[in-house]
Amino acid sequence: MRAAAAGLLCLAVPAGGALAADDEEDEPAKPTVPNIYLDLRTTYATIPAGTLALGFGNTSLSAAFQALAAQRGTSLPNGLPAAKSIAIDLPLTVDVSDRVSLYGGVSGTTTDIGGGWSSFDITSWNIGVQADLYQQNGGKIPTITLQSTLTQSVPNEQGMTNSFNNIVEFDYAVDEDETRGWLAGLQYTTVAIAGPFATIRPNTILYAGGYYQWPSNWKFTGRLGMQSFGGAQLAGRTLAEPFTQPVLRLDLDRLDDNDNRLFGITAQIAWMPKPSYQVTLRTPLYAVRN
């Protein structure tokens, strides 16, 4: 009986080891290198007279117009004119994990304020982080995401602006695959100007929305909110009046099976109080894509 038990034990140990090995082989291998890509964004925007480039998350475009307003405000006797702009953002992005992304890069713009398009120049740089503070993972508490971006206009001279943009968003998925859900969030932006006579007051957006992702990996997201801006002054003159008006943003993205963005288009209308229109194309250039 002892010999039989010993034989059975010898047979059982390798069998268990083989099963453990099979389980390990069935699990998908975790990537050893994070996603690394240029999150190339090309934006066309129209801005009404007497205001700045405001709205959802467009800190590079906003920095360019804020610096332009501070530098040229005294030479514009009738205030800020209506403007059109094309901006290209090139933030190098690293997805450290499925919860944290780091990014930083430069942005360039060309602007038309009535006398033709200016030359295309580097007008700002930015660094930032996006992190899931909590993930829903099928529970009742929504995913909570924080995104913070510091943007500085270029060149570093009188009238230069620093803006700090923070977004807190709550994402409540209504299905296990997280392809349908509701959104709510807050965006808060503060600006500091290198000059004693100019001030730009904070801008706040409170919004709600939702999203739907089809089996083909196309994803639609909509956000509707109220934007409140405190106004801007230069040397005792009002450059931009304060307002509280609605803002609408619509996103259509093409994703892969691992939810990496392959292509995206964003349309935004922000009333200030006259409408400002903005269209952004996102075409990420991947060095590493897991």
Side-chain angles (χ1 to χ4, degrees):
M1 291 181 64
R2 289 196 189 97
L8 289 173
L9 181 62
C10 292
L11 290 174
V13 169
L19 288 173
D22 290 342
D23 289 342
E24 291 177 359
E25 291 177 359
D26 291 340
E27 291 182 1
K30 292 184 178 181
T32 57
V33 180
N35 283 349
I36 303 174
Y37 56 98
L38 280 175
D39 192 12
L40 174 62
R41 301 189 296 265
T42 305
T43 301
Y44 172 79
T46 64
I47 297 97
T51 191
L52 302 173
L54 304 170
F56 283 107
N58 53 355
T59 55
S60 61
L61 188 61
S62 181
F65 274 94
Q66 290 159 0
L68 181 68
Q71 293 166 0
R72 299 188 181 182
T74 54
S75 63
L76 298 172
N78 298 321
L80 295 175
K84 295 178 288 185
S85 179
I86 296 174
I88 296 178
D89 298 326
L90 285 168
L92 178 64
T93 305
V94 179
D95 294 337
V96 179
S97 68
D98 63 346
R99 302 182 65 146
V100 178
S101 295
L102 305 175
Y103 53 89
V106 297
S107 303
T109 60
T110 174
T111 306
D112 180 5
I113 58 173
W117 290 94
S118 66
S119 60
F120 184 85
D121 296 311
I122 300 299
T123 51
S124 67
W125 59 263
N126 64 78
I127 57 173
V129 58
Q130 178 173 315
D132 288 346
L133 305 180
Y134 178 86
Q135 290 186 331
Q136 181 179 357
N137 291 331
K140 298 298 183 182
I141 300 176
T143 296
I144 304 172
T145 301
L146 172 66
Q147 182 179 6
S148 295
T149 307
L150 173 66
T151 304
Q152 180 177 298
S153 64
V154 175
N156 189 350
E157 60 185 22
Q158 187 78 5
M160 175 198 73
T161 66
N162 287 298
S163 65
F164 192 40
N165 187 63
N166 293 285
I167 302 172
V168 178
E169 185 169 87
F170 299 86
D171 176 350
Y172 183 78
V174 298
D175 64 340
E176 184 179 353
D177 293 333
E178 300 184 352
T179 58
R180 294 177 290 123
W182 302 102
L183 299 172
L186 172 70
Q187 175 179 300
Y188 183 74
T189 307
T190 58
V191 179
I193 300 179
F197 305 112
T199 58
I200 297 178
R201 299 192 181 279
N203 185 58
T204 305
I205 301 177
L206 185 65
Y207 65 91
Y211 58 91
Y212 182 85
Q213 183 174 332
W214 285 270
S216 59
N217 287 335
W218 283 96
K219 182 178 182 179
F220 174 78
T221 307
R223 295 174 177 87
L224 176 63
M226 291 297 293
Q227 178 172 220
S228 180
F229 174 54
Q233 291 79 36
L234 176 64
R237 295 178 52 214
T238 298
L239 285 177
E241 295 283 352
F243 64 83
T244 300
Q245 295 287 338
V247 57
L248 173 67
R249 171 174 162 172
L250 304 174
D251 295 88
L252 182 64
D253 295 296
R254 179 72 166 91
L255 310 175
D256 65 12
D257 291 336
N258 295 313
D259 287 341
N260 297 307
R261 180 184 288 107
L262 303 178
F263 169 81
I265 182 169
T266 298
Q268 175 180 276
I269 305 175
W271 286 264
M272 300 189 282
K274 292 183 178 179
S276 169
Y277 303 97
Q278 182 175 305
V279 177
T280 301
L281 295 178
R282 301 186 69 169
T283 49
L285 305 176
Y286 285 90
V288 178
R289 177 161 64 95
N290 296 306

